[in-house]
Amino acid sequence: MSATLRPLPLRIRPLRPWSVFQAVLMGIVAGAAWQVMQPALWQAQAYGALLLVSVVLAGAAWRARRQRGWLGWMLCALAAGGAMAAGCGARALAFQAQALDAALQGRDLRVTGIVAAMPEPAPWGLRFRFAVEHAQHAIADAGGARAPVRLPPLIELSVPALQRGGTPLLLAAGERWSLTVRLKAPHGLRNPQAFDQELWLWEQGVQATGYVRLGTAHAAPQPLGQTWRHPVALLRQRLRDAIVAGQAMPAGLRAAWPGTVAPETWQRARGVVAALVIGDQGAIAPRDWELFRATGVAHLMSISGLHITLFAWLAAALLGRAWRRSARLCLWLPAPCAALAGGVLLALGYALLSGWGLPAQRTVAMLAVVAALRLSGVRWPWHQVWLLALAAVVLADPWALWQAGFWLSFVAVGVLFAASARDPPAAAGLGGHALALLRTQAVVTLALTPLGLLLFGQISLVGMLANLLAIPWVTLVVTPLALAGMCWAPLWHLATASVMPLNAALAGLAQAPAAQLFLPAAPLWAGLAAVAGGVWLVLRLPWSLRLLGLPLLLPALWWQPARPAHGGFTLLAPDVGQGNAVLVRTRSHSLLYDTGPRHGPGSDAGQRVLLPLLRAAGVRLDMLMLSHGDNDHVGGAAAVQRAQPQAALRGAVSPEWPLAVQRSAAPCVAGQRWAWDGVAFEVLHPLPATAAVPQGRRRKAKDAPNARSCVLRIQAANGATALLAGDIERAQEAALLAGGADLRADWLLVPHHGSKTSSSAEWIAAVAPRHALVQAGYRNRYGHPAAPVMQRYAAHGVRPVTSAACGAARWSSAQPQRLECERERAPRYWQAGRRD
């Protein structure tokens, strides 16, 4: 009897091998995520100590391997995470040690190296990567010698389209050149929810940017011959030149084509073909990019991670179908194995042809991991495969965690392979395959739409239909013809012709009411909840359980950003480079003061910076005020006005506006006043006599655009005041002082970007600002802000902040003593603003 009552011995089972492996994988991802979010790098000794701690934790995990529960699992995860963070930090320190010496910025240097990638057209000429072999000062010292200098191994250069005398500077990948250049540290615009160019250059291995000097005082660029380096890049360049060479539709095809085709339409379609063959996204016209984004098919028009994933998936399906037709091949290698291996190899070749960029590398690595698991006979659940692929890619490129393309391509891989593994075989016949394609597209669209909302703040309501048209057409018609053109060039004409009806169909969809929905940027928790809801809706669960994912979508869909209280206002000065732009918001109204510069055809601050920012903030403009007509103030006005035509126009007019829109603009004249939500607005300048210049009269100095800048004063109910001064100069400052205008302000937009022709001592004393913001480009050619101006502000106890160092600047009348900079709000160790 006593034997039956004896307590059973406690059985402790060791951790399962997969549990240990899973803990290690999760630790790798968590460790990389923690390190890449560091605001600044530690010293090398600190990372060494972290690695030592990780080794100790690994030893503790080994000793606790027979313990059941969370202790052993946690020790494994912490050890892997610490080792990954230490290794990632050490890599970052080694890379940062190769950065450009600050003393070499803006100096003329003679550099010899090799063109390391296909040169890309830009609005100002060409942009290309240059692998440095050796460098020296371009100007000899007193003894006639040119001192050698150390430069980063890889730099990015731009060169004007034409040399002196009109001779184009022709560059080819793999060529060795000797060039005179001026360099600076990589620097990009810093705005909320915007693309981080500095991180992108960091990932690419680029640690300096600059331009080639072509003036008479500098040695001319000297070609030193073609090398064997970068043969794939040279092949891509020759293919691109051959594709875009056809300026007009061939006569035979034109005769068979219904209607006439403008040369511009044909050339735009050729750009799409070039993008599909070699991944040259710059070949696609800006207006076509707008069309593709509006219809949700942009991922198909360039060789992105998602494109390579779809290509590999369809290639594997077609290869497997063809393989099954041969019994001998199936006996030698089963069709599923051949399909997997062939799909990955074809994706690898396609990625190499596209330039082997980081998105392509990540996608091929993910596909290879998934295929290797399946070929080895391992049958893991899809979430375990997903975690292994995630850890493998993060191990190779930790900074990919910050890239939108990484998450789009990775989620696409998981969704597509999970669907193909769990779905029943498609029914035979065309209808069965069409149904399978429809379901796959529905799954991908449903899963990626919340992610697109989180990353880009927009949803294409016609995207499902557009992708149903575009995916089979681009994948089965346009892309095969485009790739086959490498063997027989006339097929490129057919590929181009097949793009045009697709563009026409997409244009029709884009014109549908509410084809594109822009939503304000929700907080991270709401965006992640929406992504989880989208994934939950596509899981293989009963619909009664799937519908539980719908509530997770609601916070992101109905999110509305906070607005100022009645009687208060906020200012947001975006980082637009060399130009002005300030967004003013009251409780229920919004005003945009200036729109930044235009850089070239299809490239301006309105399209690149302001419209994404306005959409992310959920802003509907009530007024667009343009201080004067200089490019750096009205360059983005046309794009903003097209997107928000309801906004009243005041001040200068943009020459790109339709005539009717130009006539609707009201002049900006001193004495104009209005009130919004308890906030007073007053125009202080220009005076009525100088507000406009009569047509045909020669413009005098007092009639120059700067002299007629709109000066706007904004005052909250609590007395907090902002002054936006445009580009007025000392004469206009003196006139305002003599006229007795109330200039006192807590926040000042420094006149004329800090030029030495503005900001007199009397003006600074009269305004007496708490905060003074200089909107100017990083190391701009005008030298803004001028050192004497900065000294005058400092003498009056004011420390001006530059947009190059601050990024986007926020200020609120509710807290007039505080100015928030985007670079300080979310600092990162790869930012040039923190290194200079």
Side-chain angles (χ1 to χ4, degrees):
M1 186 70 176
S2 59
T4 60
L5 296 178
R6 185 180 303 165
L8 295 175
L10 180 63
R11 299 179 61 188
I12 300 177
R13 291 183 299 177
L15 287 172
R16 297 178 180 178
W18 167 248
S19 296
V20 176
F21 192 43
Q22 188 179 42
V24 170
L25 296 179
M26 296 184 70
I28 288 173
V29 176
W34 175 75
Q35 197 284 323
V36 299
M37 293 182 68
Q38 285 187 301
L41 290 174
W42 294 348
Q43 296 294 327
Q45 296 85 346
Y47 288 116
L50 180 60
L51 181 60
L52 181 61
V53 171
S54 300
V55 173
V56 173
L57 289 174
W62 173 257
R63 294 185 63 183
R65 66 188 183 277
R66 294 188 176 278
Q67 295 184 13
R68 184 183 180 185
W70 58 269
L71 180 59
W73 190 94
M74 184 63 68
L75 289 173
C76 291
L78 289 175
M84 180 64 189
C88 185
R91 288 171 59 184
L93 281 174
F95 184 69
Q96 198 176 71
Q98 301 173 346
L100 177 69
D101 186 351
L104 297 178
Q105 295 192 93
R107 304 286 298 274
D108 288 338
L109 305 172
R110 191 67 179 181
V111 182
T112 300
I114 296 175
V115 179
M118 177 182 69
E120 300 178 0
W124 54 85
L126 289 176
R127 180 176 56 239
F128 62 98
R129 300 282 169 83
F130 199 64
V132 177
E133 294 181 325
H134 57 83
Q136 59 188 9
H137 285 284
I139 301 176
D141 57 20
R146 296 182 178 182
V149 297
R150 183 189 64 83
L151 294 182
L154 186 65
I155 61 178
E156 183 170 275
L157 297 173
S158 62
V159 61
L162 297 179
Q163 282 192 26
R164 183 180 70 257
T167 304
L169 181 62
L170 301 178
L171 300 168
E175 286 184 341
R176 179 176 283 110
W177 282 78
S178 179
L179 306 169
T180 301
V181 303
R182 279 191 179 178
L183 301 176
K184 62 182 180 181
H187 190 96
L189 305 181
R190 288 286 292 172
N191 291 293
Q193 293 93 35
F195 175 70
D196 190 342
Q197 185 180 13
E198 293 168 45
L199 172 60
W200 182 74
L201 290 172
W202 174 282
E203 272 200 291
Q204 300 282 320
V206 176
Q207 291 180 290
T209 62
Y211 61 94
V212 179
R213 299 276 280 168
L214 300 175
T216 56
H218 309 281
Q222 181 181 358
L224 301 177
Q226 182 73 41
T227 70
W228 57 268
R229 307 260 307 266
H230 310 292
V232 177
L234 181 60
L235 173 63
R236 296 178 65 235
Q237 182 176 355
R238 290 175 176 173
L239 287 172
R240 181 195 62 188
D241 294 342
I243 292 172
V244 301
Q247 298 293 328
M249 180 182 286
L253 188 58
R254 185 169 60 248
W257 194 264
T260 59
V261 177
E264 179 190 2
T265 303
W266 178 259
Q267 191 62 22
R268 284 169 48 198
R270 298 285 279 192
V272 174
V273 174
L276 292 175
V277 173
I278 60 169
D280 183 13
Q281 300 186 21
I284 299 181
R287 59 186 297 188
D288 285 336
W289 274 124
E290 294 182 18
L291 173 63
F292 299 149
R293 280 192 286 263
T295 53
V297 301
H299 61 90
L300 290 173
M301 302 304 170
S302 62
I303 308 178
S304 63
L306 183 57
H307 194 113
I308 293 175
T309 302
L310 290 170
F311 177 83
W313 182 69
L314 289 172
L318 294 175
L319 183 60
R321 184 179 181 87
W323 198 272
R324 290 185 181 91
R325 295 184 176 273
S326 173
R328 180 175 299 178
L329 289 176
C330 289
L331 290 174
W332 177 67
L333 183 66
C337 297
L340 277 174
V344 173
L345 289 176
L346 289 173
L348 173 62
Y350 198 21
L352 287 172
L353 191 61
S354 73
W356 195 236
L358 288 175
Q361 295 176 35
R362 292 194 295 260
T363 304
V364 172
M366 288 186 288
L367 294 174
V369 167
V370 175
L373 286 174
R374 293 194 176 183
L375 290 175
S376 64
V378 177
R379 291 295 181 262
W380 286 350
W382 72 268
H383 64 278
Q384 296 178 358
V385 177
W386 186 87
L387 180 59
L388 176 59
L390 175 64
V393 174
V394 170
L395 191 63
D397 180 16
W399 298 276
L401 291 167
W402 280 105
Q403 299 291 358
F406 166 79
W407 292 107
L408 286 172
S409 58
F410 202 85
V411 172
V413 168
V415 169
L416 287 174
F417 276 92
S420 64
R422 290 177 172 269
D423 287 349
L430 182 61
H433 290 290
L435 185 61
L437 176 63
L438 179 63
R439 187 190 180 281
T440 300
Q441 177 57 33
V443 167
V444 173
T445 301
L446 193 58
L448 295 186
T449 295
L451 183 59
L453 178 62
L454 172 63
L455 297 173
F456 308 115
Q458 65 186 68
I459 299 174
S460 176
L461 299 182
V462 298
M464 178 70 177
L465 179 56
N467 276 278
L468 282 175
L469 294 174
I471 286 178
W473 188 257
V474 171
T475 307
L476 302 178
V477 178
V478 181
T479 301
L481 287 173
L483 295 177
M486 293 187 292
C487 300
W488 191 43
L491 290 177
W492 281 329
H493 299 316
L494 294 179
T496 305
S498 66
V499 170
M500 292 190 294
L502 176 62
N503 282 356
L506 295 176
L509 290 174
Q511 294 173 1
Q516 200 171 11
L517 178 63
F518 295 97
L519 296 176
L524 181 61
W525 66 266
L528 293 178
V531 173
V535 173
W536 187 266
L537 288 172
V538 301
L539 294 179
R540 300 288 294 176
L541 297 171
W543 275 106
S544 58
L545 294 178
R546 287 197 206 185
L547 293 179
L548 295 178
L550 289 177
L552 296 176
L553 304 176
L554 298 182
L557 295 176
W558 267 271
W559 179 263
Q560 290 297 323
R563 298 296 297 257
H566 184 83
F569 69 97
T570 60
L571 295 179
L572 174 60
D575 187 1
V576 294
Q578 184 64 27
N580 278 163
V582 179
L583 176 64
V584 185
R585 303 183 73 189
T586 66
R587 180 66 180 175
S588 58
H589 294 82
S590 299
L591 177 148
L592 182 62
Y593 179 90
D594 284 343
T595 59
R598 183 183 184 188
H599 310 289
S603 177
D604 59 71
Q607 192 68 41
R608 295 177 55 191
V609 177
L610 298 179
L611 288 183
L613 189 146
L614 294 175
R615 291 161 179 164
V619 172
R620 186 177 186 272
L621 291 177
D622 296 280
M623 182 180 294
L624 175 59
M625 175 178 284
L626 302 177
S627 62
H628 62 293
D630 284 352
N631 169 66
D632 56 341
H633 296 256
V634 302
V640 173
Q641 195 278 329
R642 284 195 301 268
Q644 304 226 15
Q646 80 288 339
L649 306 176
R650 188 175 296 238
V653 296
S654 171
E656 298 182 41
W657 290 345
L659 185 59
V661 176
Q662 294 187 37
R663 290 174 176 171
S664 69
C668 190
V669 182
Q672 294 172 337
R673 294 181 178 87
W674 69 93
W676 285 342
D677 307 314
V679 179
F681 293 76
E682 181 182 3
V683 177
L684 303 182
H685 188 271
L687 300 175
T690 60
V693 180
Q695 294 291 330
R697 194 177 78 183
R698 185 176 180 179
R699 192 167 69 181
K700 301 179 181 179
K702 66 182 182 68
D703 298 323
N706 290 351
R708 292 181 282 113
S709 291
C710 299
V711 177
L712 179 65
R713 188 173 186 268
I714 312 167
Q715 185 170 13
N718 65 355
T721 306
L723 187 64
L724 313 181
D727 276 1
I728 62 170
E729 301 183 350
R730 291 187 181 184
Q732 292 75 51
E733 294 173 357
L736 286 170
L737 291 170
D742 186 2
L743 299 176
R744 188 202 61 80
D746 297 282
W747 190 94
L748 170 67
L749 180 64
V750 173
H752 202 181
H753 320 287
S755 168
K756 60 184 178 182
T757 61
S758 303
S759 295
S760 64
E762 296 79 9
W763 164 268
I764 299 174
V767 178
R770 295 179 187 229
H771 309 287
L773 177 68
V774 180
Q775 284 191 308
Y778 178 68
R779 300 188 66 86
N780 61 86
R781 60 177 178 168
Y782 307 103
H784 295 159
V789 172
M790 301 291 278
Q791 294 168 3
R792 283 200 293 270
Y793 277 98
H796 286 79
V798 182
R799 181 176 176 270
V801 174
T802 64
S803 57
C806 176
R810 294 182 178 89
W811 182 82
S812 172
S813 63
Q815 295 179 306
Q817 72 283 358
R818 180 184 179 189
L819 178 69
E820 183 179 276
C821 289
E822 182 68 17
R823 287 187 180 272
E824 296 176 358
R825 186 188 67 84
R828 297 290 177 256
Y829 55 77
W830 53 78
Q831 294 177 3
R834 293 185 60 83
R835 296 197 300 271
D836 294 346

